[in-house]
Structure formats: structure tokens, C-alpha cells
Amino acid sequence: MHTGGVRLFVRPVEGDPTATDVLRALERRARSRGLPPPAALTGDWFGGSTVLVPSVRVHPVEPGEAFDVLDRRPEVTPEPAAPEGAVGGGWVGYLGYELTDPAGARHPGRRRLPAAAWGWTDHVLRRDPRGQWWFEAIAEHEPGALVTELGTLVAEAAGHHAESGPGPGGVVAPDAERHRKSVRRCVEEIAAGEIFQANVCSRFAVPFAGSPLELFATGSARFDPARAAYVAGAWGAVASLSPELFLARHGEVVRSSPIKGTTPRRGPQDDHNADVLRGSRKDIAENVMIVDMARNDLGRVARTGTVTTPKLLRVEPHPGVWHLVSEVRAELPPEIGDAELLRATFPPASVTGAPKVRALEIISELESDPREVYCGAVGMSSPVRGTELNVAIRTLEYAAGEVAFGVGGGITADSDAEAEWQECLTKAAPLLSLLERAGQ
């Protein structure tokens, strides 16, 4: 990582391959040269862009340093003609849910992945919302040879077939009755006045001998999630197919888009279920409580009077489901760094409960396994463009020949234990379908 003054170099790249074609080509390049694997942010990142990191060494980070890393970025001088939306490079990686949660201490021997992992990259390939590819770098001198090499890779990437591999074995499903009991216990805690709402989760696991990157590439192309992200290292891989934005910070403005409220979507014209969700008292109450939590979290570090809710209870289509989506926005004092912002807001409000501290304690008592990366955050922090992190839901975690993922939902006073379990199955279905086809 550069620590002195560096420049932002941006060069257009010819060709119009898909992001997944380029990502697969980058993996072939890394594998053939013995380089660290690529990373990817696909969907609606940094103003509608896809950002691919050709090769990055993503290292485990100690929990006490996981937030502070993001404030260690150089000052960058952009080129006068740099296009709007340029990213250049930065930190890419993830924050695991247990970083600040008591569950981490309860399951020390059951974790499979590091609590957090970050890697620094000084160059990226970015596809802007119009479909134009760019090579971007943060460097002291123009990296001409790298521009040529990666430009050729992009130009030749289209049309390559994905490599097939062995698919998954049998699914290890969570205990349905345990989940129902956890929901009922949560409702009891609400009735006792301990909490107003909490998120209860369970985990699926599937033996897997295929390529985690191919799993991500297939899933991101099939589902087109708004906040998909992929990072990998010697420790394993994280393939997040998330639709949800945790934080997007650009300068002094930060926003969060919590999702709470889910119902199945049976085809593009399924207006009936959309109307059901729009009128659901339970889902509306859940979403409003989470919005209040996000407002409170951001209010801890925001300028007084700047926390607003520009979007509330919007019904949006996502792969296989309808979601209720809101947005919270705030302005930060210039002295507030990303580490302080994360200490005020992490883990994301939509995957915890209200009040947050007590909900986290109850969750740690109810759940038998650590959430790992699930319900944490994956994303990138760029000295040029800012910091964007997703909420790590719909997230596949690969380690030691197995893929695991969590599912869950928010529990309120009106929650029904069987309905909550069915919601878990609804959320798990697209990921299980993806895994079933992984080797085909």
C-alpha cells in the first residue's frame, strides 16, 4: 500500500464482455501466474458500477483492527480528466458479524473463517453504468504495461465458457423445531418487555468440491443482486449475493438502506404478493423499528439534525421475493472516520434487533452456531470514491470443502413460529437451487 502522495490514473478499455466473463478470465490469469485470486463487486456499487480487482491478497485481520484498517488510505490526486465515479483501488474485504457480538465468545471452536479480512489493491477494472470498461490505478507512475495487459484480457474475455466442476453433496439442514423454539422464546422476551424485535437465524451447510468463484459468477449473473461481492484467500471464500446496502459513505454524506419484510415473488407480475407485503402489519412494524435503529445508530456520529428518512416502506422486487426497503441518510462531521462510523453502526441494524445491545445478547443465547460473515458486511473502501458495504445476507461461505449460509428473519410480537420457519425456507430456496446446479 502506498502511504505518500499518489495519483489516480484512469484509461478506457475497449470491449463489452459481461462482468462474469471478465471475472472468470481474471481467475484464469491469477491461477496461471500463481497470483492471489481476484475479487469482485457486481451490481449497483459506487454509482451503478461493477468493480473487479484483478488480484488481491486478502489477509485475516485481528478484531481490534478490523475497523481501523479502512482509515489507512493515502491521499490521492485525480487526473483532471478522470471520469465521474472512478474508484481507483482501496481496501476490499469483509467484517464478520461476531466482531462486536457476544456470540463470538460462545462459539470459539466452531468458527471456520476469520472474524474479518481485508486486502489492499492499487488497481481495478470498472464497468460504468453505460457499459464502458475502465482501467483505474492509484500509483506514483502510470502503469502502462498493466493497462495493455488487462485491456487485452477484457477484449478477449467475451464468450469463454465457465469451467464446470463437481457439485455439492447432501444438504445439512438446520433444525426446524429449534428455530421455531427460538422464535417462540423471542416472542416471550418481547412480551416481557426485554426487547421490541430481534433477528433469529439458522444455517444450512453443503459439502462442495467445485469453484467458489464460479458459484459467485453464476449466482450474480442469474439473480443480478444489487450488492453482490466476492473475496477469497487461503482461508476460503465469501460469495455474497446480497440485495442490501449497509453503508455508503461519500465525503460527509452517509446512507443506509435497510431491508425488512419479505414475501415470495411468483413471477415478474406478482402484484398480489406485493400488495400482501404492503399491507402486512407485522412487516411494516418490523421495518419501521429497524429504520428507527438505523437512525439512532447514525445519529451517534452525525451532525445534529441531519438524519433523515428519504425513503420509507418501498416494496421492491428481488430474486424470488418482494422486500420492504427504506433509506436513512445523514451528514457526518469531517473528523469522523470510517472506523468511528462503523463502531457506531455495526452490526447492521436490520440483522440485529431493538434495543440493539439486549437483542444481541438474546440472539447469542438462542443461536447454536456463529453467524460468521453472514449478517456482517462485505465491500470496499476507496480513497478516491468512498466506502460502500453490503449487509452480508444471501451469502455463501466456503471453507474446508463445505459451503455454508445463514437464513433468518426479524421477530416481532405478531410473529408466528411456523411462518418464520417458512420464511427461512423461502430465503434459502434460491441459494439451494444455485448449489444444486453448481456442477452442471
Side-chain angles (χ1 to χ4, degrees):
M1 172 184 166
H2 294 285
T3 56
V6 293
R7 295 168 57 194
L8 169 66
F9 296 92
V10 181
R11 300 292 179 265
V13 174
E14 297 301 319
D16 60 352
T18 66
T20 51
D21 280 345
V22 176
L23 181 59
R24 289 168 176 135
L26 290 172
E27 185 187 42
R28 291 192 295 271
R29 170 182 179 264
R31 195 167 55 234
S32 68
R33 298 188 179 193
L35 298 172
L41 307 175
T42 65
D44 190 21
W45 295 85
F46 298 103
S49 296
T50 283
V51 180
L52 304 183
V53 181
S55 173
V56 59
R57 195 175 301 280
V58 179
H59 295 283
V61 177
E62 290 298 320
E65 297 290 309
F67 298 155
D68 296 314
V69 165
L70 301 190
D71 285 334
R72 299 171 190 160
R73 301 177 302 198
E75 293 291 329
V76 179
T77 302
E79 290 183 313
E84 183 179 357
V87 171
W91 292 105
V92 61
Y94 71 81
L95 301 167
Y97 169 83
E98 276 87 16
L99 277 173
T100 58
D101 184 78
R106 293 185 66 242
H107 308 294
R110 304 188 69 171
R111 293 194 57 84
R112 305 180 320 137
L113 295 178
W118 291 107
W120 175 265
T121 180
D122 59 9
H123 64 282
V124 301
L125 290 168
R126 183 176 67 91
R127 188 176 188 266
D128 70 22
R130 299 168 298 172
Q132 172 66 52
W133 283 96
W134 301 88
F135 170 88
E136 302 175 355
I138 300 170
E140 296 174 355
H141 306 287
E142 181 165 359
L146 197 54
V147 175
T148 301
E149 178 195 353
L150 293 177
T152 300
L153 180 146
V154 170
E156 297 176 351
H160 282 274
H161 293 290
E163 297 180 9
S164 61
V171 176
V172 180
D175 185 332
E177 185 52 33
R178 182 186 178 97
H179 190 89
R180 296 186 192 101
K181 288 180 179 179
S182 295
V183 171
R184 289 192 287 268
R185 161 78 186 282
C186 201
V187 172
E188 291 170 0
E189 297 287 353
I190 295 169
E194 288 290 311
I195 53 174
F196 300 108
Q197 188 263 6
N199 213 65
V200 174
C201 302
S202 292
R203 288 174 68 81
F204 287 78
V206 180
F208 185 75
S211 162
L213 183 139
E214 183 56 38
L215 196 61
F216 172 79
T218 302
S220 60
R222 180 184 302 174
F223 302 135
D224 193 26
R227 294 286 167 174
Y230 177 83
V231 293
W235 40 267
V238 175
S240 182
L241 304 173
S242 174
E244 184 172 356
L245 172 67
F246 170 36
L247 293 174
R249 183 195 181 158
H250 305 290
E252 297 175 10
V253 176
V254 61
R255 61 188 177 88
S256 181
S257 294
I259 291 176
K260 268 299 166 196
T262 303
T263 193
R265 183 166 70 100
R266 309 191 190 285
Q269 307 303 317
D270 181 20
D271 293 334
H272 171 72
N273 276 355
D275 290 339
V276 169
L277 182 58
R278 195 174 285 112
S280 168
R281 185 177 70 172
K282 181 260 184 186
D283 289 305
I284 289 172
E286 188 181 348
N287 191 289
V288 170
M289 275 190 279
I290 296 306
V291 167
D292 284 344
M293 283 182 57
R295 288 175 58 89
N296 181 69
D297 286 351
L298 288 176
R300 295 169 60 189
V301 288
R303 287 196 181 106
T304 302
T306 66
V307 180
T308 60
T309 309
K311 180 171 72 175
L312 183 65
L313 301 173
R314 182 177 297 176
V315 177
E316 294 184 358
H318 291 270
V321 297
W322 293 100
H323 282 312
L324 277 179
V325 185
S326 298
E327 183 176 299
V328 180
R329 182 185 181 278
E331 296 177 17
L332 303 174
E335 66 271 16
I336 297 294
D338 284 352
E340 190 168 352
L341 172 62
L342 283 165
R343 288 190 178 96
T345 58
F346 191 86
S350 63
V351 293
T352 54
K356 197 172 194 177
V357 173
R358 182 59 180 138
L360 289 172
E361 292 171 350
I362 291 172
I363 289 168
S364 71
E365 296 170 6
L366 296 178
E367 296 180 3
S368 59
D369 296 300
R371 292 187 182 183
E372 304 256 11
V373 182
Y374 173 61
C375 294
V378 191
M380 188 172 195
S381 183
S382 161
V384 176
R385 193 71 174 97
T387 297
E388 296 195 1
L389 300 168
N390 74 10
V391 178
I393 57 175
R394 316 288 198 275
T395 295
L396 300 161
E397 303 161 5
Y398 173 81
E402 184 180 77
V403 168
F405 65 89
V407 290
I411 310 305
T412 67
D414 296 325
S415 290
D416 173 77
E418 179 58 29
E420 294 297 335
W421 173 244
Q422 292 302 318
E423 180 176 324
C424 287
L425 297 180
T426 296
K427 291 175 176 176
L431 297 182
L432 291 173
S433 173
L434 175 65
L435 283 162
E436 287 171 0
R437 293 172 171 79
Q440 298 179 3

